[in-house]
Amino acid sequence: MRTVMTAWGGGSTSHGHRRTQEMFTFIAIVTGVVLGLVAFTMADQIPTVPTHNMSNKERNELKEEAREMFYHAYRAYMDNAYPADELMPLSCTGRYRGVTPSRGDLDDTLGNFSMTLVDTLDTLVVLGDLEEFEHAVKLVIKDVKFDNDIVVSVFETNIRMIGGLLSGHILAEYVQKQADVMTWYRGELLEMAKDLGYRLLPAFNTSTGIPHARVNLKHGMKVEALRHSRETCTACAGTILLEFAALSRLSGEPIFEVKAHAAMDALWKMRHRSSELMGTVLNVHSGDWIRRESGVGAGIDSYYEYCLKSYILLGDERYLARFNRHYHAIMKYISQGPMLLDVQMHRPHTKTRNFMDALLAFWPGLQVLSGDLKPAVQTHEMLYQVMQMHTFIPEAFTFDFQVHWGQHHLRPEFIESTYFLYRATGDHYYLHAGKKALKALQQHARVPCGYAAVNDVRTGKHEDRMDSYVLSETFKYLFLLFSDPADLILNIEDFIFTTEAHLLPLTLGQLGNHSFTGVRDQDEQVHMLDYMRSCPSPNKLFPETVRRPLRDLVTGVCPRISSAKRLRAADFQASNTDHLRTVYDMGITMVSLGEGKVQLLHSFHNAKSPEDAERGLIFMQEMVELSNSNSIPNTQLQAVAYKPKGDREMRILEAGPSHFGMELVNDLAVVQRAVFAKPAKVCSALKNVEEIRGKVVIIERGECTFVDKARRVEAAGALAAIVIDNTPNTSINNQQMFAMSGDGRDDVLIPVVFLFTKEAEQLIKAIKEQPSLVLMLMSATGLKEKLAAEQRASTTKTDTKSSDSKATP
């Protein structure tokens, strides 16, 4: 095992909040060989931000400033651009598809359906402006039409238009009930959302169920421009379910939710089974990956978001299980301290680019929602420092935080994560961070006609662009950050935000519109919810208390073991979630290097507390001692023995033990014929159960955990199991032996041993030559003692016979 230590220092503490003013990294191999020393100082470039509590007066002033910013942009759009999709703030005119100069694929967002107004409806309610909300709803009902011969992005149309219409409908019924206004409203926005949803459905007619990236609003896929449509991004296909499930459950039409579930299921099956990571671009017909880069930014971001939020909104445990699998993989391969670095999904130790993009700024907010605060704080802090270095977070920046792509499109993701971190921690540091972002927008993006995107953060040059999400998300999150929840007309904790910050009520999970009929993966060990079709009732939709607040909901998802009980390195199991979280709290991150090798990085700065950091140092010292050992002690080594065809001598193959199942010690042994499992990896139902019963089963490594394989063959009646390596050319002679990890559950009773590839090839060859070959599984020490005893007995017997012969007359 190779162990690496990394120290982050130079931080200061004020009012309980630690922030890095100077960071340095020291990397060393445990043998004492120094690999490198990298230092960079930010204290001169980044001004110190106060961490004192913000006064109620200042906070209220910032809230009202955020409100004024919204109205400055909203009025600019309504007065100069409506009914266009977007405002062009430098030209002070509207952007129409087919009228204003084309921007290529970027214009697929537009559909000549007044996108900015639809996208903004629920922000008006969040601001408490019911009069303008009612006016806007009437305009949408009167003016917006979808029968347009235009090719649009399925993803963007879903999150901005369908999401905006549904949230508008939900809040219209809400204010009807709560404020006795808009009594004339009869569900018109829902009908519009349903009409638009049906116009998107032709995109889902693929062999995989994964939707095309684009569709024609009037003619579906039957246009020349879409005849060769093949590619889509993971986020594009995986950011449908929240809106489509809400549409089905509110309208009573199950087809939308059915299609969205099918797309998510198809994507799940396409993950790389070894790394549990996803690529970014795929073929909708064949399901083949076109781009295998994996990260949490552009092209994939909101897929992970919708895995978790689909569980929260719908209560479907499949999506929590999927999110947890993906999240573990991301934290294992992609998360490197505070940075998130793209890798190859099929070679997760290989980095694919030398920069990060701005879209990953949503990730800390999602980590807050999942209950993992510490890494959220770390990544947010890194992003905050990048923002302060460049005024805005550039569209992409390098690993040393220099500009890679200089644009800043007034994106909301950093402010979104700032809001969620403040709500989770109550730390006023995040109010000050939000203030910094607000003032940067005011100083560098505000123009007479709204807010203009920045073409290059190094020059401050503007771009004639103001996306609809500036009103839907950026200003909404700024307003919420500085607002007291008690002052809002909505209880925000009764809702979940979509990726476009539209509000969907958590009560939608109590409504059902379809029964799931898809085939579930064998490795998804959770029960399905049986969705029953029902007619939704507004009275049922908005109870005062729906579920526990989100922070309570996720508290129990990832239980931690007490840091007071120190985890010893000898007891550590890499597959045990509690152990992983404990070492992470101690400031240790773990990176798999493949072939059973693990890299550990320890950081006092990353530890949950000084006490945890000290425990982490002791843990690392213990790990160093373990790694300096040549191999597993002989007393733990197992052996697989047999007599090859035609040989008199026993052939012995040394095998690794497991942290689960029966331990073969002393003279305990299993003697029986061997059979091969079908399928070989035993990650799905066994096909040769009758053949396995009472035998030693040979299993191939990969795709699922060792202990899951053992459980399946034990349930089929196997006496023991041998797991063979799937990495070419490994051998006991060129690899350190390791013990197979369990998952903390002590429910496997049969012995399970591990053979490297070279030794496994010998065994497989012998079985093929002699199908009835009998194997003996035993501890290596016990077997050697047994053979030695037999040899001594044989020698004694020979000597006795010889002596008797001489005594015979």
Side-chain angles (χ1 to χ4, degrees), residues 265-454:
D265 290 344
L267 287 172
W268 172 246
K269 291 174 183 176
M270 290 171 60
R271 75 196 186 281
H272 193 271
R273 298 301 179 100
S274 176
S275 71
E276 302 287 2
L277 295 174
M278 305 287 285
T280 53
V281 179
L282 55 106
N283 185 306
V284 299
H285 293 298
S286 67
D288 294 333
W289 288 106
I290 296 169
R291 294 186 60 181
R292 295 170 179 261
E293 296 92 338
S294 189
V296 298
I300 197 169
D301 48 358
S302 48
Y303 163 73
Y304 294 130
E305 180 183 2
Y306 271 39
C307 282
L308 180 59
K309 290 184 177 180
S310 293
Y311 164 69
I312 295 171
L313 180 66
L314 308 178
D316 191 333
E317 293 183 356
R318 284 182 297 168
Y319 295 108
L320 177 61
R322 293 176 186 182
F323 173 79
N324 283 338
R325 295 270 284 276
H326 287 317
Y327 185 78
H328 175 74
I330 289 165
M331 298 308 289
K332 179 178 181 180
Y333 298 119
I334 294 171
S335 176
Q336 300 289 322
M339 298 192 290
L340 297 157
L341 313 180
D342 283 20
V343 300
Q344 292 282 5
M345 61 176 283
H346 58 300
R347 292 196 300 270
H349 310 292
T350 304
K351 301 293 182 286
T352 60
R353 60 186 192 182
N354 64 347
F355 61 89
M356 293 173 275
D357 66 70
L359 285 169
L360 63 76
F362 89 101
W363 186 250
L366 191 65
Q367 289 182 306
V368 170
L369 201 58
S370 74
D372 201 4
L373 282 179
K374 186 164 71 71
V377 170
Q378 292 171 335
T379 298
H380 181 277
E381 179 64 23
M382 180 268 292
L383 292 165
Y384 186 29
Q385 292 185 9
V386 172
M387 187 194 85
Q388 293 178 89
M389 287 177 71
H390 303 293
T391 304
F392 296 107
I393 296 177
E395 191 68 1
F397 53 93
T398 59
F399 295 166
D400 58 353
F401 307 143
Q402 301 307 304
V403 174
H404 184 76
W405 297 329
Q407 305 93 333
H408 177 73
H409 298 143
L410 314 185
R411 293 194 183 279
E413 286 79 12
F414 175 75
I415 300 170
E416 173 187 0
S417 289
T418 303
Y419 166 70
F420 280 114
L421 274 165
Y422 175 69
R423 295 290 295 143
T425 65
D427 191 339
H428 281 227
Y429 181 80
Y430 297 109
L431 293 178
H432 289 286
K435 175 183 176 181
K436 193 84 176 177
L438 181 150
K439 295 300 183 182
L441 288 170
Q442 288 285 64
Q443 184 175 351
H444 301 286
R446 186 176 180 124
V447 294
C449 198
Y451 288 80
V454 178

Side-chain angles (χ1 to χ4, degrees), residues 654-729:
E654 289 187 329
S658 61
H659 285 305
F660 54 86
M662 178 191 296
E663 185 178 2
L664 296 174
V665 295
N666 301 326
D667 58 351
L668 283 177
V670 174
V671 181
Q672 187 51 268
R673 282 179 51 208
V675 297
F676 293 95
K678 298 177 183 177
K681 289 186 170 63
V682 196
C683 293
S684 57
L686 286 161
K687 298 178 181 178
N688 60 335
V689 173
E690 292 299 324
E691 189 181 4
I692 284 173
R693 188 170 291 117
K695 303 295 190 302
V696 176
V697 185
I698 298 177
I699 304 168
E700 187 177 322
R701 179 183 187 179
E703 293 189 7
C704 58
T705 63
F706 295 122
V707 70
D708 283 342
K709 298 173 190 287
R711 289 188 181 113
R712 285 194 174 93
V713 297
E714 182 179 40
L719 287 181
I722 301 172
V723 178
I724 61 176
D725 200 4
N726 59 355
T727 304
N729 301 319

Side-chain angles (χ1 to χ4, degrees), residues 564-598:
K565 183 179 179 181
R566 190 176 72 79
L567 176 66
R568 297 182 306 165
D571 298 329
F572 176 71
Q573 296 180 14
S575 62
N576 187 309
T577 304
D578 285 344
H579 288 186
L580 291 174
R581 289 194 165 274
T582 300
V583 299
Y584 198 75
D585 283 347
M586 293 190 294
I588 299 169
T589 55
M590 189 170 65
V591 179
S592 173
L593 302 177
E595 299 181 356
K597 298 177 182 178
V598 176

